[in-house]
C-alpha cells in the first residue's frame, strides 16, 4: 500500500506528517548556515546523511553544544562497523584494524580504501580525514569519551570475529544475548550518556550504576533487541542470527524451523518481546532524567519507535518471513508526541495495551507478559502519582521527583505545541475557505 | 531475648491459619506452635503442607471468652500471639462485630494481662477501600469515613484497636498486616469461585476493559509476612521501626483481573477461543436487571451491580514499606501459587 493511501486512512498521522514537515518550530534556528560554511563539517554531515537518513535528521536537531560531538561519535562507530561488517576484508587485517582503530583517532590524517566496492558506507572510511579534523576540533573531554568507547567496541568486535561458536551457532544464552547487545548498543548508550552528563544536559547520576544494570545499558538494549527480533527473516537469509538459543530452543530444534511452525514461531517472538519489555522501566527513568529539550528528543524518538515496533512484531507471523515496519505516518505522529515525557509515557502505555490485547491465553508466557506489562503500568503510576485520594501526599521517590522536574520542561513545550497547532489550523482553514470558494464559484457561476 | 519461643495462632485451623502453622514450623530454631480455634485442625492435611500435626498444641475455645483465651496463653507459654481469625465475607453484621471487634478487644486485653510480648494482627487491604479505584496505595492512604461494608468497617475498627494497644514502654508491641486477595490451598473463595464460573460456562464473558490491576497474594507469602512481623517486633534493633505500624502485603505483582482468572482456567485445562466483552456500563445495567428478575423469581442473582463494580475496579498496592522494614519478599509467585491451589482442590479433601 502506498504511503499516501496509508496517510489518508489515518488522518491523525496525515496531520502529524504535515505539522512535522511544515510547522514544527526548530529548537535552534540558524544553525544550518554554520555547517554550510565549513568544508569539513559539511562533508561530515553529508557522510552522516549517506549512512543514515533518519539518524542524520535527529542529530541535526541537537543542541549545538553536543551536535557535532554526537555526529562525529556516530561516524567513527559507523566506520568501525563498516570494517567489521565487510566480509571481503581479510580476517587478520580486519582484527588488526578493529583492535587499533581507536589509535587512528590520534592521527592527523588516516583513511582506508580496503572495503569491497559494494560496501555502501565505504566513503566514511575513504573520507576519514574530514572526520579526524572535526574530531580534533571537539572539546578534549568529548574526544576522550569517543576514543574510549571506540576502543571498547573495537575489542568487543574482535572477540566476536574470532568466536567460532558464535559465527557458527549464533547467540547461546540470554546472558550472551545481553552481552552481544552491550557491545553493539549498550556501549553507544554509555558514550552518549557520558557526553550528555558532561554537557550538563542530564542528571549527574545518569552515569552511575543503579540496580542490576545501568540505565543507559537498558536504553541500548531495548533498541537493539527490538531490531534483532524484527530482523529475524533478513538475518536468516544472510546466514546469521542473534536470537538466543536459550529462548528459541524452548520452541523448536533448529532456528529456521520457526518459519514452518507458525504457532511456535509466534510463541518465540512473544517470549523475546517479554524479554525486551524488562528494560522499559529503566528507559522511562532515563528519559525522566534528561533536562535539555533537544537531547530529550534525541533520546526519546528511537525509544518510542522501538515500543511501536515491538507492538507490531508481537504475535505477528509476518515477522517470520519478512521485515515488518511501522507506517511512515505513525513515525511522524510519534516524533511529535515524544517531545514530552508525558507524551512518551502515553505512547508506551498505548502500545503496551495493544500488546496485551494481542496476547492469547494459550501463550505459555500469558501470565508473565501480563505481569510485566502491569509492572510497567505500576511504575508509570509511581512516576506521576496523580490518582491519590484527598489528603494523601505523593511518595517522594526518586522517579517521582525526576518526573516532577522533567514535567516543568514538558510544560514549556506545551507553548510550542500550541503555536504549531495554531499555524496548522490557520492554514487548514484558509485551505478550507479556498475550497469552499472554488466550490461556490463552480456551482453558481458555471451554470 | 528476641526469638519466637512459643506462638499462639488464633484462628490457626482456618485457611490462612494452616499456612501460618506451616511457615512458623519452618522457622529456626523452631518455636513451640499452638492453635486456638473454634474448630479442630483438619483430620487430613493437604499434601501442600509438610508440618507434623501431632507436634501442634491445640486449644478449642471462643475468642470472645477471656477465660478460654487466658487458659490457652498461659498453658502454651506463648510470647507471640497471632490473631488471624476472621469471619467469611457474607456473614451478618452481628458476626462481624462479635469476631472482629469484640474478639479482638478480648485478645488485646488478655494478651497484655498475661505478659505476651508481641501481637500480630491480620487486618485486610480492604480497610482502605471505599468503592473508588485504589491505585498503587501505600499505608498513608486514609481509612474511608464511610466504610464500604460491615466487614471492612469492623476490620478497620479492630486494626485501630490493635495499633492503639501498642505499648513498647510496658513491653507489649503490636503490628497490623493488610494482605490483599489471599489465595492458596484451603481457599474457599477466589480460586474455587473461578472454577465454579468455568463450570457454568460463563468464563467466556469478560466484564470491563481488563485494564484494571488487582493484587492476589499467595497465602504462604502472607504467612511469611506474619513470621517476619513477629521476628521484627521481638528484635530490639527493629522493634521501634515496625511496632504500631500497618503494612500492605501482596505478591508484589499486580495483574489485570481477567488475566488472573484466565490463568486459573487455563491451568484447569479450560481456554476460551472467543471472549465476549461486556462494557462496564452495560454490565452494570445487566446487573440491575438480573437483580430485579431474580427478586421476582426468588433465585440468587448471578450478576449484581456491586459485583460488576468489584471486578472493574483498580485495587493494587505499593508494598515498599513491607519490603523495607519487614524484609518481606514473596517467595511463591502467582503461577506457582495457582498450581498449588488447583492441586489442593484436586485432592478433594472435603
Amino acid at each position: 500500500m502506498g504511503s499516501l493511501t496509508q496517510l489518508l486512512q489515518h488522518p491523525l498521522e496525515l496531520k502529524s506528517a504535515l505539522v512535522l514537515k511544515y510547522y514544527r518550530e526548530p529548537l535552534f534556528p540558524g544553525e544550518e548556515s554554520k555547517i554550510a560554511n565549513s568544508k569539513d563539517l559539511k562533508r561530515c554531515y553529508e557522510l552522516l546523511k549517506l549512512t543514515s537518513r533518519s539518524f542524520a535528521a535527529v542529530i541535526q536537531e541537537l543542541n549545538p553544544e553536543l551536535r557535532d560531538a554526537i555526529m562525529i561519535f556516530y561516524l567513527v562507530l559507523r566506520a568501525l562497523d563498516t570494517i567489521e561488517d565487510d566480509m571481503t576484508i581479510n580476517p587478520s587485517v580486519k582484527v588488526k584494524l578493529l583492535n587499533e582503530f581507536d589509535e587512528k583517532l590520534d592521527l592527523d590524517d588516516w583513511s582506508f580504501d580496503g572495503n569491497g566496492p559494494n560496501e555502501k558506507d565505504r566513503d566514511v572510511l575513504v573520507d576519514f580525514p574530514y572526520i579526524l579534523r572535526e574530531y580534533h576540533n571537539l572539546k578534549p573531554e568529548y574526544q576522550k569519551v569517543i576514543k574510549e568507547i571506540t576502543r571498547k567496541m573495537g575489542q568487543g568486535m574482535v572477540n566476536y570475529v574470532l568466536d567460532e561458536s558464535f559465527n557458527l551457532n549464533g547467540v547461546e544464552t540470554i546472558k550472551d544475548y545481553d552481552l552481544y547487545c552491550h557491545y553493539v548498543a549498550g556501549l553507544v548508550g554509555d558514550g552518549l550518556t557520558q557526553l550528555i552528563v558532561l554537557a550538563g544536559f542530564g542528571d549527574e547520576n545518569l552515569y552511575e550504576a543503579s540496580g542490576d544494570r545501568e540505565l543507559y545499558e537498558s536504553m541500548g538494549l531495548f533498541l537493539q533487541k527490538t531490531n534483532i527480533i524484527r530482523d529475524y527473516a533478513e538475518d536468516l537469509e544472510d546466514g546469521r542470527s542473534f536470537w538466543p538459543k536459550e529462548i528459541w530452543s524452548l520452541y523448536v530444534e533448529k532456528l529456521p524451523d520457526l518459519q514452518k511452525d507458525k504457532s511456535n514461531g509466534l510463541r518465540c517472538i512473544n517470549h523475546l518481546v517479554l524479554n525486551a519489555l524488562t528494560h522499559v522501566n529503566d528507559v522511562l527513568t532515563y528519559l525522566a532524567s534528561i533536562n535539555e529539550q533537544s537531547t530529550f528528543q534525541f533520546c526519546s524518538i528511537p525509544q518510542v519507535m522501538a515500543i511501536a515496533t515491538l507492538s507490531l512484531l508481537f504475535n505477528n507471523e509476518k515477522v517470520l518471513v519478512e521485515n515488518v515496519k511501522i507506517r511512515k505516518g505513525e513515525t511522524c505522529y510519534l516524533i511529535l508526541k515524544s517531545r514530552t515525557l508525558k507524551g512518551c509515557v502515553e505512547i508506551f502505555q498505548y502500545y503496551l495495551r495493544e500488546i496485551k490485547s494481542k496476547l492469547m491465553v494459550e501463550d505459555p508466557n500469558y501470565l508473565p507478559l501480563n505481569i510485566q506489562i502491569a509492572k510497567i503500568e505500576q511504575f508509570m503510576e509511581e512516576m506521576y502519582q496523580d490518582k491519590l485520594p484527598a489528603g494523601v501526599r505523593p511518595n517522594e521517590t526518586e522517579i517521582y521527583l525526576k518526573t516532577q522536574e522533567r514535567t516543568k520542561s514538558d510544560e514549556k513545550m506545551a507553548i510550542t505545541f500550541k503555536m504549531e497547532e495554531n499555524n496548522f489550523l490557520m492554514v487548514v482553514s484558509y485551505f478550507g475557505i479556498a475550497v469552499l470558494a472554488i466550490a461556490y464559484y463552480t456551482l453558481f457561476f458555471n451554470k | 531475648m528476641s526469638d519466637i519461643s512459643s506462638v499462639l495462632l488464633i484462628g490457626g485451623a482456618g485457611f490462612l491459619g494452616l499456612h501460618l502453622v506451616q511457615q512458623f514450623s519452618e522457622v529456626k530454631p523452631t518455636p513451640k506452635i499452638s492453635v486456638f480455634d473454634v474448630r479442630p485442625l483438619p483430620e487430613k492435611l493437604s499434601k501442600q503442607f509438610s508440618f507434623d500435626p501431632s507436634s501442634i498444641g491445640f486449644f478449642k475455645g471462643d475468642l470472645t471468652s477471656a477465660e478460654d483465651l487466658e487458659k490457652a496463653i498461659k498453658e502454651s507459654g506463648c510470647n507471640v500471639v497471632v490473631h488471624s481469625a476472621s469471619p467469611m465475607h457474607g456473614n451478618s453484621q452481628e458476626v462481624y462485630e462479635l469476631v472482629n471487634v469484640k474478639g479482638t478487644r478480648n485478645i488485646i486485653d488478655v494478651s497484655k494481662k498475661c505478659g505476651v510480648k508481641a501481637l500480630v494482627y491480620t487486618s485486610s487491604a480492604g480497610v482502605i477501600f471505599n468503592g473508588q479505584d485504589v491505585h498503587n496505595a501505600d499505608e498513608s492512604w486514609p481509612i474511608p469515613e464511610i466504610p464500604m461494608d460491615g466487614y471492612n468497617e469492623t476490620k478497620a475498627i479492630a486494626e485501630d484497636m490493635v495499633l492503639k494497644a501498642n505499648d513498647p514502654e510496658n513491653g507489649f508491641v503490636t503490628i497490623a498486616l493488610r494482605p490483599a486477595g489471599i489465595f492458596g490451598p484451603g481457599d474457599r473463595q477466589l480460586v474455587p469461585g473461578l472454577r465454579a464460573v468455568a463450570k457454568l460456562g460463563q468464563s467466556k464473558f469478560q466484564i470491563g476493559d481488563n485494564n484494571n490491576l488487582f493484587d492476589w497474594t499467595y497465602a504462604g507469602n502472607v504467612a511469611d509476612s506474619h513470621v517476619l512481623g513477629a521476628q521484627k517486633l521481638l528484635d530490639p534493633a527493629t522493634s521501634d521501626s515496625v511496632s504500631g505500624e500497618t503494612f500492605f502485603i501482596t505478591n508484589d505483582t499486580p495483574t489485570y483481573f481477567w488475566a488472573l482468572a484466565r490463568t486459573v482456567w487455563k491451568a484447569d485445562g479450560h481456554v476460551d477461543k472467543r471472549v465476549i466483552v461486556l462494557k462496564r456500563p452495560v454490565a452494570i445495567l445487566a446487573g440491575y436487571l438480573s437483580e430485579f428478575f431474580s427478586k421476582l423469581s426468588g433465585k440468587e442473582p448471578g450478576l449484581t451491580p456491586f459485583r460488576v463494580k468489584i471486578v472493574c475496579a483498580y485495587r493494587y498496592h505499593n508494598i515498599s514499606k513491607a519490603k523495607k522494614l519487614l524484609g518481606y519478599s514473596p517467595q511463591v509467585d502467582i503461577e506457582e501459587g495457582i498450581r498449588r491451589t488447583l492441586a489442593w482442590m484436586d485432592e478433594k479433601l472435603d
Side-chain angles (χ1 to χ4, degrees):
Chain A
M1 190 167 33
S3 38
L4 187 66
T5 338
Q6 279 189 351
L7 276 177
L8 289 173
Q9 285 174 345
H10 299 89
L12 200 60
E13 292 175 6
L14 174 63
K15 180 192 160 195
S16 301
L18 291 170
V19 171
L20 189 63
K21 193 144 173 57
Y22 300 109
Y23 302 101
R24 189 164 51 136
E25 299 288 329
L27 286 167
F28 301 98
E31 282 294 319
E32 274 161 32
S33 61
K34 275 189 208 157
I35 296 172
N37 288 334
S38 153
K39 186 172 145 265
D40 290 339
L41 213 50
K42 202 174 147 216
R43 181 61 188 149
C44 285
Y45 279 99
E46 280 168 15
L47 288 171
L48 185 68
K49 260 185 220 149
L50 220 62
T51 56
S52 164
R53 241 175 199 297
S54 57
F55 216 63
V58 196
I59 289 181
Q60 276 175 0
E61 296 268 322
L62 270 170
N63 187 306
E65 171 64 31
L66 274 186
R67 189 193 57 213
D68 297 345
I70 289 180
M71 178 270 290
I72 295 292
F73 184 38
Y74 181 82
L75 284 178
V76 170
L77 296 185
R78 170 58 64 173
L80 197 64
D81 196 46
T82 306
I83 294 170
E84 193 245 12
D85 234 19
D86 191 338
M87 290 304 160
T88 69
I89 302 176
N90 176 305
S92 66
V93 175
K94 186 186 273 188
V95 166
K96 191 164 174 332
L97 262 175
L98 292 174
N99 258 327
E100 294 169 356
F101 200 80
D102 65 307
E103 292 164 24
K104 309 294 182 212
L105 293 174
D106 294 332
L107 305 174
D108 286 329
D109 193 22
W110 179 84
S111 64
F112 179 71
D113 197 14
N115 275 112
N118 293 331
E119 177 53 60
K120 70 172 182 55
D121 291 336
R122 69 191 312 285
D123 280 356
V124 176
L125 283 148
V126 173
D127 281 348
F128 208 69
Y130 290 92
I131 298 171
L132 279 178
R133 283 195 290 277
E134 279 305 322
Y135 170 77
H136 290 122
N137 280 340
L138 297 174
K139 285 186 181 167
E141 62 261 38
Y142 293 165
Q143 293 185 31
K144 197 174 147 235
V145 173
I146 296 175
K147 193 175 169 195
E148 179 206 325
I149 301 297
T150 306
R151 180 176 56 81
K152 286 185 181 163
M153 192 177 279
Q155 286 169 354
M157 286 172 166
V158 168
N159 290 340
Y160 286 104
V161 170
L162 298 176
D163 187 341
E164 295 214 351
S165 152
F166 175 79
N167 293 315
L168 215 62
N169 309 318
V171 181
E172 286 284 327
T173 64
I174 294 173
K175 219 174 135 215
D176 295 340
Y177 181 51
D178 284 356
L179 190 66
Y180 174 78
C181 292
H182 164 76
Y183 277 112
V184 297
L187 278 175
V188 182
D190 181 336
L192 287 173
T193 306
Q194 290 192 54
L195 294 175
I196 288 167
V197 172
L198 282 171
F201 290 170
D203 265 9
E204 275 180 24
N205 61 16
L206 260 190
Y207 198 63
E208 286 163 14
S210 63
D212 310 334
R213 62 188 157 220
E214 289 83 1
L215 296 175
Y216 61 77
E217 188 76 10
S218 282
M219 293 286 279
L221 264 58
F222 186 60
L223 302 183
Q224 191 62 30
K225 287 180 174 178
T226 303
N227 288 343
I228 287 177
I229 302 168
R230 184 196 58 201
D231 293 342
Y232 166 81
E234 206 176 276
D235 283 336
L236 208 60
E237 213 167 288
D238 293 343
R240 47 183 192 183
S241 86
F242 303 98
W243 286 18
K245 190 174 180 186
E246 188 176 341
I247 290 178
W248 63 253
S249 64
L250 295 172
Y251 304 100
V252 276
E253 293 209 357
K254 288 192 300 274
L255 186 60
D257 292 352
L258 290 171
Q259 290 187 311
K260 286 170 272 167
D261 184 350
K262 291 255 154 68
S263 79
N264 273 314
L266 289 179
R267 288 169 177 185
C268 188
I269 293 168
N270 297 351
H271 196 151
L272 290 166
V273 171
L274 169 62
N275 172 282
L277 289 179
T278 59
H279 300 293
V280 171
N281 287 359
D282 282 355
V283 166
L284 294 174
T285 310
Y286 188 101
L287 292 178
S289 312
I290 303 291
N291 49 47
E292 198 276 325
Q293 187 57 32
S294 73
T295 312
F296 182 84
Q297 291 168 205
F298 174 76
C299 295
S300 68
I301 291 171
Q303 303 294 335
V304 297
M305 299 293 169
I307 188 66
T309 306
L310 275 185
S311 145
L312 184 64
L313 303 178
F314 191 78
N315 215 42
N316 183 348
E317 56 181 49
K318 277 194 193 149
V319 175
L320 301 169
V321 288
E322 63 182 90
N323 203 310
V324 184
K325 280 207 168 76
I326 52 176
R327 291 186 304 271
K328 267 261 160 43
E330 198 173 2
T331 308
C332 297
Y333 177 76
L334 293 175
I335 289 174
L336 290 176
K337 192 168 165 105
S338 64
R339 290 180 291 176
T340 61
L341 181 65
K342 185 83 186 171
C344 292
V345 169
E346 283 168 8
I347 292 169
F348 270 92
Q349 184 171 48
Y350 173 82
Y351 287 109
L352 287 170
R353 287 185 173 178
E354 285 284 305
I355 290 174
K356 186 155 72 79
S357 71
K358 287 189 245 178
L359 174 58
M360 311 296 281
V361 184
E362 297 91 326
D363 196 298
N365 284 304
Y366 178 73
L367 187 63
L369 268 157
N370 266 296
I371 286 177
Q372 179 57 38
I373 293 170
K375 196 171 270 185
I376 301 169
E377 287 216 59
Q378 183 178 26
F379 186 74
M380 290 170 171
E381 191 58 48
E382 197 192 324
M383 290 176 79
Y384 288 96
Q385 299 186 39
D386 52 3
K387 299 187 186 71
L388 300 176
V392 175
R393 291 187 48 75
N395 257 312
E396 297 200 339
T397 53
E398 204 185 329
I399 183 62
Y400 174 74
L401 294 174
K402 276 183 187 220
T403 306
Q404 288 292 99
E405 197 54 37
R406 174 62 223 175
T407 300
K408 290 179 197 157
S409 315
D410 277 11
E411 280 159 8
K412 278 186 214 144
M413 283 310 289
I415 301 166
T416 312
F417 294 166
K418 254 243 135 76
M419 212 146 75
E420 291 170 358
E421 181 88 13
N422 285 345
N423 291 347
F424 175 75
L425 286 178
M426 210 157 67
V427 174
V428 169
S429 49
Y430 286 157
F431 183 73
I433 291 167
V435 169
L436 280 177
I438 293 168
Y440 184 78
Y441 199 82
T442 333
L443 280 174
F444 291 95
F445 292 89
N446 273 6
K447 274 186 184 165
Chain B
M1 151 86 199
S2 59
D3 276 339
I4 307 166
S5 57
S6 170
V7 59
L8 182 67
L9 303 173
I10 299 173
F15 161 37
L16 178 60
L18 294 178
H19 289 273
L20 286 165
V21 174
Q22 177 68 36
Q23 297 314 117
F24 272 100
S25 72
E26 288 175 21
V27 173
K28 295 282 174 285
T30 314
K32 185 175 165 197
I33 300 169
S34 313
V35 165
F36 179 96
D37 209 313
V38 274
R39 70 213 127 163
L41 284 166
E43 277 179 28
K44 200 160 174 288
L45 270 181
S46 162
K47 291 190 195 101
Q48 303 297 324
F49 298 109
S50 63
F51 64 85
D52 172 13
S54 66
S55 70
I56 309 300
F58 182 76
F59 299 92
K60 188 173 161 63
D62 171 3
L63 82 173
T64 58
S65 148
E67 199 183 321
D68 285 2
L69 206 57
E70 190 167 338
K71 177 169 171 277
I73 290 175
K74 283 197 170 143
E75 282 182 23
S76 70
C78 61
N79 62 344
V80 174
V81 167
V82 175
H83 170 22
S84 70
S86 212
M88 294 262 285
H89 276 273
N91 264 301
S92 68
Q93 182 71 14
E94 219 180 329
V95 175
Y96 295 152
E97 294 268 352
L98 200 66
V99 178
N100 288 344
V101 183
K102 204 166 163 230
T104 304
R105 182 75 263 162
N106 184 43
I107 290 168
I108 294 169
D109 293 342
V110 178
S111 298
K112 244 181 160 165
K113 184 179 147 205
C114 298
V116 169
K117 296 267 177 290
L119 170 64
V120 180
Y121 173 61
T122 316
S123 181
S124 159
V127 295
I128 64 154
F129 187 55
N130 65 354
Q132 299 294 314
D133 285 343
V134 172
H135 288 273
N136 207 28
D138 70 7
E139 294 77 2
S140 70
W141 282 48
I143 308 250
E145 279 170 28
I146 302 156
M148 184 67 193
D149 54 29
Y151 178 83
N152 286 315
E153 180 187 14
T154 51
K155 285 301 275 188
I157 293 169
E159 182 188 89
D160 188 54
M161 291 192 304
V162 169
L163 298 177
K164 287 206 172 114
N166 182 49
D167 187 3
E169 275 164 37
N170 292 308
F172 182 67
V173 283
T174 65
I175 195 172
L177 304 171
R178 297 169 168 178
I182 310 181
F183 77 104
D187 167 22
R188 301 271 162 223
Q189 299 183 12
L190 224 40
V191 177
L194 286 170
R195 195 177 249 192
V197 167
K199 285 233 165 74
L200 289 171
Q202 291 171 347
S203 62
K204 61 178 171 292
F205 295 104
Q206 172 187 309
I207 300 167
D209 59 10
N210 193 28
N211 286 324
N212 53 316
L213 289 170
F214 231 72
D215 273 318
W216 277 24
T217 316
Y218 182 67
N221 298 335
V222 176
D224 273 339
S225 74
H226 286 67
V227 173
L228 288 165
Q231 287 170 332
K232 301 285 171 189
L233 278 179
L234 292 180
D235 185 344
T238 51
S239 187
D240 282 351
S241 64
V242 301
S243 71
E245 296 286 326
T246 59
F247 296 87
F248 283 113
I249 302 295
T250 73
N251 245 53
D252 205 19
T253 46
T255 315
Y256 306 96
F257 183 85
W258 295 98
L260 288 167
R262 297 204 180 281
T263 301
V264 171
W265 294 328
K266 180 166 86 162
D268 232 357
H270 184 97
V271 173
D272 289 290
K273 285 287 161 215
R274 276 192 54 229
V275 172
I276 299 157
V277 178
L278 290 176
K279 295 230 188 284
R280 187 176 182 272
V282 177
I284 288 178
L285 181 69
Y288 280 116
L289 291 175
S290 157
E291 225 171 25
F292 177 75
F293 284 112
S294 56
K295 265 186 197 136
L296 290 183
S297 64
K299 270 195 250 163
E300 186 74 14
L303 196 67
T304 67
F306 179 75
R307 282 185 193 168
V308 172
K309 285 176 194 163
I310 289 290
V311 300
C312 290
Y314 280 80
R315 277 179 83 177
Y316 72 104
H317 309 81
N318 171 359
I319 61 159
S320 300
K321 186 178 172 187
K323 287 198 275 189
K324 187 169 163 232
L325 296 181
L326 297 179
Y328 167 76
S329 71
Q331 299 299 305
V332 176
D333 68 27
I334 300 266
E335 210 145 7
E336 172 63 14
I338 290 174
R339 200 189 58 72
R340 290 187 191 182
T341 311
L342 293 173
W344 157 74
M345 288 175 74
D346 291 337
E347 287 179 54
K348 295 195 169 46
L349 293 171
D350 308 333

